[in-house]
Amino acid sequence: MDIKALDISAKLSVDASATEAASQDFGHIVKAVPKAVLHPSTPQGIAALIKLSYYYSSVRFGIAAKGQGHSLWIDVLNKTLEHGLAPVSWADYLYLTVGGTLSNAGISGQTFRYGPQISNVLEMDVITGKADLMTCSPMKNSELFYAVLRGLGQFGIVNWIRVIYSDFSSFTGDQELLISRNGRKDNNALDYLEGSLLMDQGSPDNWRFSFFQHLDHPRIISLITEHRIIYCLEVVKHYNDQTKNSVDKVMKQILQGLSYMPGFMFQKEAGYEEFLTRVRSGELKLESQGLWEVPHPWLNLFIPKSQILDFNDGVFRGIVLEQNITTGPVLVYPMNRQKWDKRMSAVIPDEEIFYTVGFLHSSGLNDWGAFEYQNKEIMRFCKKAGIMAKQYLPHYSTIDEWVHHFGSKRKIFQQRKLQFDPRMLLSPGQNIFNNN
Ligand SMILES: Cc1cc2nc3c(=O)[nH]c(=O)nc-3n(C[C@H](O)[C@H](O)[C@H](O)COP(=O)(O)OP(=O)(O)OC[C@H]3O[C@@H](n4cnc5c(N)ncnc54)[C@H](O)[C@@H]3O)c2cc1C
């Protein structure tokens, strides 16, 4: 059997421009050049390719879906907004594919209230590693549904607030208090909550988006100079025409009793869509300066609540200040484990509250090694200090590392792989089951 005999052969490219374009991702660190690239226009086209590899051992090859090729989240937003609706749970950046974020989890400031994106899926059409096209949901083919996975919003305007702390335990204490109010109908529940580190990087804003007004920069910078790291809590409450008269009062109630630094509360308003697409303007600016397609040695972690203060002491106030190379956003915010479905493949810490910490570094073409070194230092520190960190969006090169990562979920993950992709055809580059 020859691949050229397939109906889809016209959609297969083997020329260097196509294979080269598919060989890299946003990280710009790992490169894997495929033999050919399929640009499918139907699910049947994808199934035909998998079938060929599944049934003909003489031509067997691995197949990986490449995201950012179709069905982006931004299209989902635009389409649902036409009906006055929108999903409730998002990633910070919407120019990612639906398949791509659902293969990970999809987290952002809404996760504490609505769960990650994977907790908000009702049904999916999936093509398995046996080339079967299957519809799955919690009721139908549920094994497949949970194996693959790792609403209604209020629209109009968002009331967007940032407050600043010099003390990490006050910062996390307030974050935890705020996410404890997470009922869908709770008037004092926020619609979004994140947090970040502000360090000496020239400006309190970063590439992702500008928030602070220029006239506020000097006093924020002098606070950073005094404390070296300060912590910024960011919250949002949606409102519309019916609720606009009460939103300020509600926000005041929500912030009452918090321990942020007096005088360091900053507020602005934005359209709902403008808020959700906030990272896009940063991307376009970097792109125009040739700074978007650069290496991104990112490290994303989930840290149990009971160990986040140790993490601050050892990593933020230890490694990060010592190495003094961190540039760009460092996110830190908590989530509730109960909003994650434990039947899904995603791996999270065992505690009811855990934090996500994201070092979203950009580097020059030749100096990403220093950031990778720092990332490894952080992982080494966690191991030594007994901090049960779990990586989100991990890249491991050995099966042993994946075994450690999955922990108690390894067995069920392996069983599901054998059930739905027994010849190990899909996403071989992850090295979860076979070292390449
Ligand atoms: C600028 C930027 C900001 C980000 N912000 C966030 C954030 O706020 N929150 C968050 O959770 N993540 C965030 N991420 C990470 C993001 O979730 C992952 O990078 C994800 O992998 C992106 O998906 P992608 O569309 O680029 O797909 P890819 O990275 O190409 O794919 C990811 C995985 O999914 C598989 N896959 C893709 N499509 C399909 C499909 N249709 N069917 C089956 N498998 C598929 C691929 O084979 C691969 O294994 C961000 C990434 C970037 C680049």
Side-chain angles (χ1 to χ4, degrees):
M1 184 63 183
D2 186 350
I3 207 163
K4 296 196 192 88
L6 292 177
D7 285 349
I8 48 163
S9 63
K11 297 197 162 32
L12 271 171
S13 308
V14 288
D15 54 282
S17 62
T19 55
E20 188 64 27
S23 69
Q24 285 262 11
D25 62 8
F26 181 74
H28 285 279
I29 292 173
V30 176
K31 187 169 176 169
V33 185
K35 290 226 162 52
V37 179
L38 175 72
H39 299 277
S41 48
T42 60
Q44 286 74 15
I46 302 169
L49 188 75
I50 298 177
K51 217 175 256 170
L52 176 70
S53 181
Y54 186 74
Y55 287 108
Y56 296 91
S57 54
S58 57
V59 293
R60 185 144 302 146
F61 46 83
I63 301 153
K66 171 97 177 104
Q68 300 221 351
H70 64 100
S71 59
L72 297 163
W73 277 109
I74 183 67
D75 301 326
V76 176
L77 176 65
N78 289 334
K79 212 67 209 159
T80 56
L81 280 183
E82 284 172 17
H83 303 276
L85 300 167
V88 288
S89 186
W90 293 97
D92 286 340
Y93 175 67
L94 303 196
Y95 292 76
L96 301 167
T97 52
V98 174
T101 67
L102 295 188
S103 296
N104 291 296
I107 57 166
S108 181
Q110 299 89 4
T111 306
F112 80 91
R113 190 162 180 205
Y114 300 108
Q117 290 183 312
I118 51 171
S119 294
N120 289 277
V121 179
L122 298 180
E123 185 179 287
M124 286 181 297
D125 290 328
V126 172
I127 307 170
T128 69
K130 296 193 262 187
D132 297 325
L133 279 120
M134 294 169 78
T135 297
C136 59
S137 70
M139 311 303 289
K140 189 174 171 187
N141 298 316
S142 61
E143 263 302 295
L144 177 63
F145 182 77
Y146 293 117
V148 170
L149 283 171
R150 278 242 220 202
L152 182 76
Q154 299 202 0
F155 309 112
I157 323 272
V158 305
N159 194 320
W160 192 353
I161 286 181
R162 282 185 172 193
V163 289
I164 289 180
Y165 299 75
S166 59
D167 176 46
F168 188 71
S169 63
S170 306
F171 166 70
T172 50
D174 281 357
Q175 284 190 320
E176 286 164 23
L177 173 73
L178 292 171
I179 70 158
S180 69
R181 305 173 192 147
N182 59 30
R184 287 198 176 218
K185 293 195 174 140
D186 184 343
N187 201 30
N188 277 352
L190 290 160
D191 292 298
Y192 164 101
L193 178 145
E194 288 197 358
S196 57
L197 264 52
L198 298 183
M199 287 175 290
D200 183 11
Q201 301 183 358
S203 162
D205 285 318
N206 59 54
W207 67 264
R208 284 171 107 231
F209 53 96
S210 305
F211 183 93
F212 299 109
Q213 293 197 12
H214 275 288
L215 60 96
D216 291 320
H217 283 201
R219 65 197 185 100
I220 299 174
I221 290 171
S222 74
L223 206 59
I224 296 173
T225 311
E226 186 184 342
H227 297 278
R228 300 192 69 197
I229 298 181
I230 55 175
Y231 308 94
C232 177
L233 171 61
E234 176 173 45
V235 296
V236 153
K237 183 94 186 149
H238 301 160
Y239 68 95
N240 55 23
D241 280 349
Q242 282 84 52
T243 50
K244 75 173 175 215
N245 292 330
S246 58
V247 69
D248 278 337
K249 199 168 140 217
V250 171
M251 223 29 171
K252 218 168 154 190
Q253 272 168 9
I254 292 175
L255 298 182
Q256 209 165 37
L258 299 190
S259 322
Y260 58 88
M261 299 189 76
F264 284 89
M265 196 262 254
F266 306 89
Q267 186 165 19
K268 74 184 208 177
E269 294 193 335
Y272 175 73
E273 213 175 334
E274 181 192 348
F275 168 71
L276 284 181
T277 54
R278 62 201 177 279
V279 180
R280 177 66 163 177
S281 52
E283 172 195 347
L284 295 176
K285 196 163 140 208
L286 287 184
E287 209 164 33
S288 70
Q289 299 163 347
L291 295 174
W292 183 249
E293 301 284 327
V294 296
H296 293 100
W298 286 10
L299 178 68
N300 287 279
L301 299 172
F302 292 141
I303 309 286
K305 167 190 150 161
S306 66
Q307 297 179 307
I308 195 68
L309 300 184
D310 298 338
F311 190 89
N312 176 56
D313 291 342
V315 176
F316 297 150
R317 299 219 156 258
I319 296 170
V320 168
L321 285 182
E322 232 162 68
Q323 306 256 331
N324 198 21
I325 54 168
T326 295
T327 53
V330 180
L331 305 182
V332 45
Y333 57 92
M335 304 176 186
N336 302 307
R337 189 181 161 83
Q338 67 185 66
K339 301 284 177 179
W340 295 63
D341 190 324
K342 62 176 185 299
R343 289 166 294 186
M344 293 174 184
S345 304
V347 181
I348 53 176
D350 279 336
E351 290 185 16
E352 180 41 42
I353 292 174
F354 62 92
Y355 279 77
T356 181
V357 175
F359 293 92
L360 309 183
H361 293 128
S362 304
S363 76
L365 286 179
N366 298 317
D367 62 358
W368 55 266
F371 293 96
E372 284 286 275
Y373 176 78
Q374 177 170 303
N375 292 345
K376 289 206 174 100
E377 278 287 282
I378 293 171
M379 294 315 295
R380 266 195 290 271
F381 166 80
C382 288
K383 197 169 170 197
K384 208 165 147 207
I387 294 180
M388 307 298 278
K390 284 285 174 198
Q391 280 203 50
Y392 177 56
L393 314 170
H395 174 81
Y396 296 121
S397 44
T398 65
I399 295 175
D400 283 352
E401 286 170 303
W402 281 111
V403 169
H404 179 71
H405 173 78
F406 280 111
S408 59
K409 281 202 169 167
R410 168 77 188 178
K411 204 165 154 215
I412 180 90
F413 197 71
Q414 190 150 17
Q415 277 166 4
R416 286 164 170 174
K417 182 72 173 174
L418 288 174
Q419 190 178 352
F420 298 113
D421 182 18
R423 302 219 204 288
M424 313 278 171
L425 303 181
L426 303 179
S427 295
Q430 306 260 18
N431 298 322
I432 300 179
F433 297 98
N434 38 357
N435 282 337
N436 281 323

